[in-house]
Amino acid sequence: MFLWSFAALGRYYVISGYELSDQELERQLELLNKPAVTTIQTKYGEEYDCIDFYQQPAFDHPLLKEHKYEYKNHRLNPRTYSDASYINPFDIWINGKGCPTNTVPIKRITKEDLIRANSASELAYTNSDNLNPGVEVAVLRTTKNKKYYGGGMIGAVYHPAVQSSQYSSSHFKCENYPDSIAVGWTVNPSLYPDNETHLFIYTITKDSHCYNTYCPGFLIMSPAIPLDLLLKPYSRPGIKMMELKFHIRKDAINGDWFLQLGPNNFTVGSWPQRIFTSLADSANYVEWGGEVYSPPNMTPPQMGAGYKPMQKLRFDCYGRLVNLIDELHEDDYNPPSCKTYQSSKRYQIIDEGDVKEDLSRLILFGGS
């Protein structure tokens, strides 16, 4: 049984090019799957274990084992999502609230999940100047080497068509080589056992790279929002647009990078400063936009709405309120020194600039 991999880290010993035995796979599964306080179910039939906050995989990271974090109850307020155009993570649970206090939702990982995740991690997009074979992007990106402390956008959520070994995503990314962190939505049957649209994070450090919690480091703080959240409903061009706001912010005091979702920047979790080398200080590059992957000799996957932008907001895949956090730790909703980049003529991104108050900096992207 052959695994593509993230690099070795602590007891996580999946090594690129190394064939693992079933016994070794079972050992890694034991490390990833923590004892559940209880199990809850979503309206879509997915089951999640509620793991004690201090037992979650993040604390297997060698740099976090001795570090003490005080649990804070980041409980979602349903009133936050009164605007019907926002996808409401609060609404996914049969029990209406998610996991109990002091626990966090993590899906139990099977052997097949682990094999699939390692393969997906190896194929993932890492840097727009050095794309992996088969990866194409259409992004707005910063062009000056300055200090950035986060940013984000409100993005239209779509359900692009992909085949089994392809993926299509929309993301926001902060980078300072060798480190980078990204958040967005994706249709990725190599990562998830379906063709649905899911939330994701992707983390790269000098020692590891992986989706969600497949390598230790990201600290989940919310009892209600899992990192692989299934996102429904999604946008229907010309009928109804559905949005998700994702935001990353580096805390000016403790230096951790916080992942926030929704109109009021609800905290989902954080990347502790100590797991990084360069991002421990700041990012020097950020980007917003779309990415796809396909093996050769296959029909290319759709990006965004599945066609190049029509420059009609009710039909296009977009990011509005595109912003970054500058050297003064202030939000800039019309980021300077940014340029568009598309790696293939099949896909396009348009920077509409600062449009108006409810849109601010607006980007449109897509293709097939």
Side-chain angles (χ1 to χ4, degrees):
M1 189 173 295
F2 190 85
L3 280 177
W4 299 103
S5 72
F6 43 87
L9 177 61
R11 293 180 296 172
Y12 289 76
Y13 50 85
V14 182
I15 303 172
S16 185
Y18 184 69
E19 188 175 347
L20 297 182
S21 67
D22 283 347
Q23 182 179 1
E24 290 166 328
L25 273 173
E26 292 296 338
R27 184 181 175 191
Q28 189 170 8
L29 286 170
E30 187 176 344
L31 292 171
L32 289 168
N33 289 321
K34 305 300 183 181
V37 174
T38 187
T39 300
I40 58 175
Q41 194 172 49
T42 72
K43 295 178 179 180
Y44 310 116
E46 298 181 303
E47 289 191 347
Y48 283 84
D49 288 343
C50 296
I51 308 299
D52 181 278
F53 174 81
Y54 294 104
Q55 296 297 316
Q56 64 178 293
F59 291 108
D60 286 333
H61 195 292
L63 297 178
L64 301 180
K65 282 179 178 289
E66 306 302 324
H67 196 69
K68 302 300 181 184
Y69 279 87
E70 180 182 356
Y71 175 81
K72 295 181 180 179
N73 186 13
H74 292 278
R75 178 66 67 180
L76 191 63
N77 182 351
R79 294 185 211 173
T80 301
Y81 288 85
S82 58
D83 186 342
S85 67
Y86 278 107
I87 291 176
N88 183 356
F90 184 84
D91 194 42
I92 70 169
W93 303 109
I94 289 178
N95 68 9
K97 61 182 180 180
C99 285
T101 299
N102 297 314
T103 67
V104 295
I106 301 177
K107 191 176 291 182
R108 182 157 288 271
I109 298 168
T110 66
K111 188 182 298 185
E112 291 73 22
D113 293 333
L114 185 57
I115 294 170
R116 199 167 44 240
N118 278 279
S119 176
S121 181
E122 194 70 17
L123 298 173
Y125 161 51
T126 54
N127 186 291
S128 59
D129 290 324
N130 187 24
L131 296 175
N132 288 336
V135 175
E136 304 291 355
V137 298
V139 295
L140 177 70
R141 58 186 187 177
T142 54
T143 58
K144 288 192 175 180
N145 188 347
K146 300 173 66 176
K147 289 181 181 290
Y148 304 110
Y149 296 103
M153 66 180 179
I154 298 176
V157 178
Y158 273 90
H159 183 244
V162 305
Q163 298 180 59
S164 60
S165 54
Q166 301 174 332
Y167 72 72
S168 181
S169 305
S170 168
H171 72 266
F172 168 70
K173 182 172 82 166
C174 297
E175 179 181 300
N176 193 344
Y177 185 81
D179 305 321
S180 73
I181 50 180
V183 59
W185 58 256
T186 187
V187 179
N188 189 342
S190 294
L191 177 62
Y192 304 109
D194 56 43
N195 275 65
E196 300 289 351
T197 305
H198 289 262
L199 178 70
F200 79 94
I201 64 168
Y202 194 74
T203 307
I204 300 177
T205 70
K206 67 181 179 66
D207 297 312
S208 65
H209 59 279
C210 69
Y211 283 100
N212 303 335
T213 57
Y214 279 96
C215 52
F218 185 85
L219 188 65
I220 302 172
M221 297 177 174
S222 167
I225 304 181
L227 294 179
D228 55 358
L229 174 70
L230 195 155
L231 300 173
K232 284 187 175 181
Y234 37 78
S235 299
R236 299 173 64 193
I239 300 174
K240 185 173 181 62
M241 306 304 293
M242 298 303 298
E243 299 181 327
L244 182 67
K245 181 181 182 183
F246 32 87
H247 197 254
I248 295 174
R249 177 181 293 273
K250 193 176 198 295
D251 189 278
I253 298 175
N254 68 21
D256 294 346
W257 294 85
F258 283 83
L259 171 62
Q260 302 168 320
L261 295 181
N264 289 346
N265 291 337
F266 175 80
T267 297
V268 176
S270 69
W271 292 271
Q273 179 187 39
R274 60 181 55 208
I275 73 170
F276 297 115
T277 50
S278 301
L279 276 180
D281 176 47
S282 67
N284 61 7
Y285 170 91
V286 299
E287 70 176 32
W288 311 255
E291 63 179 279
V292 298
Y293 166 78
S294 179
N297 304 319
M298 292 183 69
T299 301
Q302 295 181 349
M303 176 188 289
Y307 44 81
K308 291 182 178 180
M310 301 168 61
Q311 295 185 275
K312 295 180 180 179
L313 208 58
R314 292 180 63 246
F315 291 86
D316 291 336
C317 186
Y318 60 79
R320 65 182 179 92
L321 270 69
V322 167
N323 69 94
L324 58 75
I325 301 172
D326 63 20
E327 294 172 301
L328 301 177
H329 288 270
E330 295 179 351
D331 290 275
D332 187 339
Y333 284 91
N334 189 20
S337 304
C338 293
K339 286 187 177 181
T340 59
Y341 171 74
Q342 50 217 29
S343 59
S344 167
K345 293 182 179 179
R346 288 185 174 276
Y347 306 103
Q348 183 180 20
I349 183 166
I350 299 174
D351 178 12
E352 297 282 9
D354 192 1
V355 181
K356 54 185 179 181
E357 184 177 349
D358 59 337
L359 300 176
S360 292
R361 189 68 169 267
L362 174 68
I363 58 173
L364 312 171
F365 55 93
S368 64

